[in-house]
Coordinates of all heavy atoms in Angstrom, one line a residue:
V1 N 23.0 -13.5 3.4 CA 22.2 -13.5 2.2 C 20.8 -13.0 2.6 O 20.2 -12.2 1.8 CB 22.2 -14.9 1.5 CG1 21.2 -14.9 0.4 CG2 23.6 -15.3 1.0
E2 N 20.3 -13.4 3.7 CA 19.0 -13.0 4.1 C 18.9 -11.5 4.3 O 17.9 -10.8 3.9 CB 18.5 -13.8 5.4 CG 18.4 -15.3 5.1 CD 18.3 -16.1 6.4 OE1 18.4 -15.5 7.5 OE2 18.2 -17.3 6.2
R3 N 19.9 -10.9 5.0 CA 20.0 -9.5 5.1 C 20.1 -8.7 3.8 O 19.4 -7.7 3.6 CB 21.2 -9.1 6.0 CG 20.9 -9.1 7.5 CD 22.0 -8.4 8.3 NE 23.3 -9.0 8.0 CZ 23.9 -10.0 8.6 NH1 23.2 -10.7 9.5 NH2 25.1 -10.4 8.3
C4 N 20.9 -9.3 2.9 CA 21.0 -8.7 1.6 C 19.6 -8.7 0.9 O 19.3 -7.7 0.2 CB 22.0 -9.5 0.8 SG 22.3 -8.8 -0.9
L5 N 18.9 -9.8 0.9 CA 17.6 -9.9 0.3 C 16.7 -8.8 0.9 O 15.9 -8.1 0.1 CB 17.0 -11.3 0.5 CG 15.6 -11.5 -0.1 CD1 15.6 -11.3 -1.6 CD2 15.2 -12.9 0.3
L6 N 16.7 -8.7 2.2 CA 15.8 -7.6 2.8 C 16.2 -6.2 2.4 O 15.3 -5.4 2.2 CB 15.8 -7.8 4.4 CG 15.2 -9.0 4.9 CD1 15.3 -9.1 6.4 CD2 13.7 -9.1 4.5
N7 N 17.5 -6.0 2.3 CA 18.0 -4.7 1.8 C 17.4 -4.4 0.4 O 17.0 -3.2 0.1 CB 19.5 -4.6 1.8 CG 20.0 -4.5 3.2 OD1 19.4 -4.0 4.1 ND2 21.3 -4.9 3.4
V8 N 17.4 -5.4 -0.5 CA 16.9 -5.2 -1.8 C 15.4 -4.9 -1.8 O 14.9 -4.0 -2.4 CB 17.2 -6.4 -2.7 CG1 16.5 -6.3 -4.0 CG2 18.7 -6.5 -2.9
I9 N 14.7 -5.7 -1.0 CA 13.2 -5.6 -0.9 C 12.9 -4.2 -0.4 O 12.0 -3.5 -0.9 CB 12.6 -6.7 0.0 CG1 12.7 -8.0 -0.7 CG2 11.2 -6.3 0.4 CD1 12.4 -9.2 0.2
N10 N 13.6 -3.7 0.6 CA 13.3 -2.4 1.2 C 13.5 -1.2 0.2 O 12.9 -0.2 0.4 CB 14.2 -2.1 2.4 CG 13.8 -3.0 3.6 OD1 12.6 -3.4 3.7 ND2 14.7 -3.3 4.5
R11 N 14.3 -1.4 -0.8 CA 14.5 -0.4 -1.8 C 13.5 -0.5 -3.0 O 13.4 0.4 -3.9 CB 15.9 -0.5 -2.4 CG 16.9 -0.1 -1.4 CD 18.3 0.1 -2.0 NE 18.8 -1.0 -2.8 CZ 19.6 -1.9 -2.4 NH1 20.1 -1.9 -1.1 NH2 20.0 -2.9 -3.2
L12 N 12.7 -1.5 -3.0 CA 11.7 -1.7 -4.2 C 10.6 -0.7 -4.1 O 10.2 -0.2 -3.0 CB 11.1 -3.1 -4.1 CG 12.1 -4.3 -4.4 CD1 11.3 -5.6 -4.2 CD2 12.7 -4.2 -5.8
K13 N 10.1 -0.3 -5.2 CA 8.9 0.6 -5.3 C 7.9 -0.1 -6.1 O 8.1 -0.6 -7.2 CB 9.4 1.9 -6.0 CG 8.3 3.0 -6.0 CD 8.2 3.6 -4.7 CE 7.3 4.8 -4.9 NZ 6.9 5.4 -3.6
F14 N 6.7 -0.2 -5.5 CA 5.5 -0.8 -6.1 C 4.5 0.2 -6.5 O 4.5 1.4 -6.0 CB 4.9 -1.8 -5.2 CG 5.8 -3.0 -4.8 CD1 6.7 -2.9 -3.8 CD2 5.8 -4.1 -5.6 CE1 7.5 -3.9 -3.4 CE2 6.6 -5.2 -5.3 CZ 7.5 -5.1 -4.2
P15 N 3.5 -0.1 -7.4 CA 2.4 0.8 -7.7 C 1.7 1.1 -6.3 O 1.6 0.3 -5.5 CB 1.6 0.1 -8.6 CG 2.4 -1.0 -9.2 CD 3.4 -1.3 -8.2
P16 N 1.2 2.3 -6.2 CA 0.4 2.6 -5.0 C -0.8 1.7 -4.8 O -1.3 1.2 -5.8 CB -0.1 4.0 -5.3 CG 0.8 4.6 -6.3 CD 1.2 3.5 -7.1
C17 N -1.1 1.4 -3.6 CA -2.2 0.5 -3.2 C -3.5 1.2 -3.5 O -3.7 2.4 -3.3 CB -2.1 0.1 -1.8 SG -0.7 -1.0 -1.4
A18 N -4.4 0.4 -4.1 CA -5.7 0.9 -4.4 C -6.4 1.4 -3.1 O -6.4 0.7 -2.1 CB -6.5 -0.1 -5.1
G19 N -7.0 2.5 -3.2 CA -7.8 3.1 -2.1 C -6.9 3.6 -1.0 O -7.4 3.9 0.1
G20 N -5.6 3.7 -1.2 CA -4.7 4.2 -0.2 C -4.4 3.2 1.0 O -3.8 3.6 2.0
G21 N -4.7 2.0 0.8 CA -4.4 1.0 1.9 C -3.0 0.5 1.8 O -2.1 1.1 1.3
Q22 N -2.8 -0.7 2.4 CA -1.5 -1.3 2.3 C -1.7 -2.8 2.0 O -2.8 -3.3 2.1 CB -0.8 -1.2 3.7 CG -1.4 -2.0 4.8 CD -0.7 -1.7 6.1 OE1 -0.1 -0.7 6.4 NE2 -0.7 -2.7 7.0
A23 N -0.6 -3.4 1.5 CA -0.6 -4.8 1.1 C 0.4 -5.6 1.9 O 1.5 -5.2 2.0 CB -0.3 -4.9 -0.4
D24 N -0.1 -6.7 2.5 CA 0.8 -7.6 3.3 C 1.2 -8.7 2.3 O 0.4 -9.4 1.7 CB 0.1 -8.2 4.5 CG -0.3 -7.2 5.5 OD1 0.4 -6.1 5.6 OD2 -1.3 -7.4 6.2
V25 N 2.5 -8.9 2.1 CA 3.0 -9.8 1.1 C 3.9 -10.9 1.8 O 4.7 -10.5 2.7 CB 3.9 -9.1 0.1 CG1 4.4 -10.0 -1.0 CG2 3.1 -8.0 -0.6
S26 N 3.8 -12.1 1.4 CA 4.6 -13.2 1.8 C 5.1 -13.8 0.5 O 4.3 -14.4 -0.3 CB 3.9 -14.2 2.7 OG 4.7 -15.2 3.0
Y27 N 6.4 -13.7 0.2 CA 6.9 -14.2 -1.1 C 8.1 -15.1 -0.9 O 9.1 -14.8 -0.2 CB 7.4 -13.0 -1.9 CG 7.6 -13.3 -3.4 CD1 6.6 -13.3 -4.3 CD2 8.9 -13.7 -3.8 CE1 6.8 -13.6 -5.6 CE2 9.1 -14.0 -5.1 CZ 8.0 -14.0 -6.0 OH 8.2 -14.3 -7.3
P28 N 8.0 -16.3 -1.5 CA 9.1 -17.3 -1.4 C 10.2 -17.1 -2.5 O 9.8 -16.8 -3.6 CB 8.4 -18.6 -1.6 CG 7.2 -18.3 -2.5 CD 6.8 -16.9 -2.1
W29 N 11.4 -17.1 -2.1 CA 12.5 -17.0 -3.0 C 13.3 -18.4 -2.9 O 13.6 -18.8 -1.8 CB 13.5 -15.9 -2.6 CG 12.8 -14.6 -2.5 CD1 12.1 -14.1 -1.5 CD2 12.9 -13.5 -3.5 NE1 11.6 -12.8 -1.8 CE2 12.2 -12.5 -3.0 CE3 13.5 -13.4 -4.7 CZ2 12.0 -11.3 -3.8 CZ3 13.4 -12.3 -5.4 CH2 12.6 -11.2 -5.0
I30 N 13.5 -19.0 -4.1 CA 14.2 -20.3 -4.1 C 15.6 -20.0 -4.7 O 15.7 -19.5 -5.8 CB 13.4 -21.3 -5.0 CG1 12.0 -21.4 -4.6 CG2 14.1 -22.6 -5.0 CD1 11.7 -22.0 -3.2
F31 N 16.6 -20.4 -3.9 CA 18.0 -20.3 -4.4 C 18.5 -21.7 -4.7 O 18.3 -22.6 -3.8 CB 18.8 -19.6 -3.3 CG 18.4 -18.2 -3.0 CD1 17.4 -17.9 -2.1 CD2 19.0 -17.2 -3.8 CE1 17.1 -16.6 -1.9 CE2 18.6 -15.8 -3.5 CZ 17.7 -15.5 -2.6
S32 N 19.1 -21.8 -5.8 CA 19.7 -23.1 -6.2 C 21.0 -22.9 -7.0 O 21.2 -21.8 -7.5 CB 18.7 -24.0 -7.0 OG 18.4 -23.3 -8.2
Q33 N 21.8 -24.0 -7.1 CA 23.0 -23.9 -7.8 C 22.7 -23.6 -9.3 O 21.8 -24.1 -9.9 CB 23.8 -25.2 -7.7 CG 24.2 -25.5 -6.3 CD 24.9 -26.9 -6.2 OE1 25.6 -27.2 -7.1 NE2 24.6 -27.6 -5.2
G34 N 23.6 -22.8 -9.9 CA 23.5 -22.6 -11.4 C 24.2 -23.7 -12.1 O 24.9 -24.5 -11.5
G35 N 24.1 -23.7 -13.4 CA 24.8 -24.7 -14.1 C 24.1 -25.0 -15.3 O 24.0 -25.6 -16.2

């Protein structure tokens, strides 16, 4: 599941960073049972 999540993230496209820089992101994903 972790590899799958990274594969999805790697395909995402974001708006260009202001000033041509880069953005370091740390994002939590919470997985829980449906129901």
Side-chain angles (χ1 to χ4, degrees):
V1 173
E2 293 164 3
R3 273 193 305 274
C4 181
L5 178 61
L6 291 178
N7 286 336
V8 170
I9 290 169
N10 288 333
R11 291 192 307 261
L12 293 176
K13 184 76 170 171
F14 295 89
C17 291
Q22 67 182 33
D24 297 332
V25 180
S26 179
Y27 193 86
W29 301 79
I30 308 295
F31 294 90
S32 62
Q33 297 177 38

